[in-house]
């Protein structure tokens, strides 16, 4: 009973995003998958082998490297959590 711009067909009913509980695929992924996606975007700005492109400022390059390192840490945390759930112990 409200005005909306987009409606979705769900079964035989028309529903809005809120009523139909519609979500984007990116909202349904876990933190590890988001880290993989973010890292791929950051790496796309660099030359193969994570090298600094010509004319890129060193400050920008350092920020991209820090972002990649953060993504690597998030992926490691996700891996350790998955291993703990499976009962795999390191050491």
């Amino acid at each position: 009973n409200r005005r909306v711009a987009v409606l979705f067909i769900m079964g035989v009913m028309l529903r809005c995003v809120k009523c139909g509980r519609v979500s984007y695929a990116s909202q349904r992924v876990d933190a590890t998958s988001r880290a993989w996606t973010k890292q791929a975007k950051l790496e796309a700005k660099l030359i193969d082998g994570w090298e600094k492109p010509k004319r890129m400022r060193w400050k920008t390059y350092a920020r991209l490297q820090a972002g990649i390192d953060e993504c690597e840490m998030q992926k490691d945390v996700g891996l350790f959590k998955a291993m703990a759930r499976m009962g795999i112990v390191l050491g």
Side-chain angles (χ1 to χ4, degrees):
N1 292 335
R2 14 182 245 139
R3 293 182 65 156
V4 294
V6 179
L7 293 173
F8 295 91
I9 299 173
M10 301 191 145
V12 294
M13 302 287 292
L14 288 175
R15 300 193 182 252
C16 66
V17 172
K18 187 174 182 180
C19 299
R21 296 183 182 160
V22 177
S23 63
Y24 295 102
S26 61
Q27 294 173 321
R28 295 187 300 266
V29 296
D30 60 345
T32 305
S33 297
R34 282 193 299 274
W36 278 100
T37 305
K38 183 177 179 180
Q39 184 173 349
K41 287 181 181 181
L42 294 173
E43 288 175 349
K45 297 177 182 180
L46 301 175
I47 298 175
D48 293 336
W50 294 357
E51 294 180 20
K52 183 180 89 60
K54 188 176 182 180
R55 298 180 192 256
M56 178 182 277
R57 295 180 182 265
W58 282 102
K59 187 175 182 178
T60 303
Y61 178 69
R63 182 178 47 82
L64 292 175
Q65 287 288 59
I68 290 172
D69 290 342
E70 179 65 29
C71 290
E72 289 285 338
M73 275 204 285
Q74 289 175 357
K75 291 188 314 187
D76 289 344
V77 167
L79 175 65
F80 292 140
K81 285 181 180 179
M83 290 171 64
R85 280 193 304 267
M86 290 188 270
I88 300 172
V89 179
L90 296 177

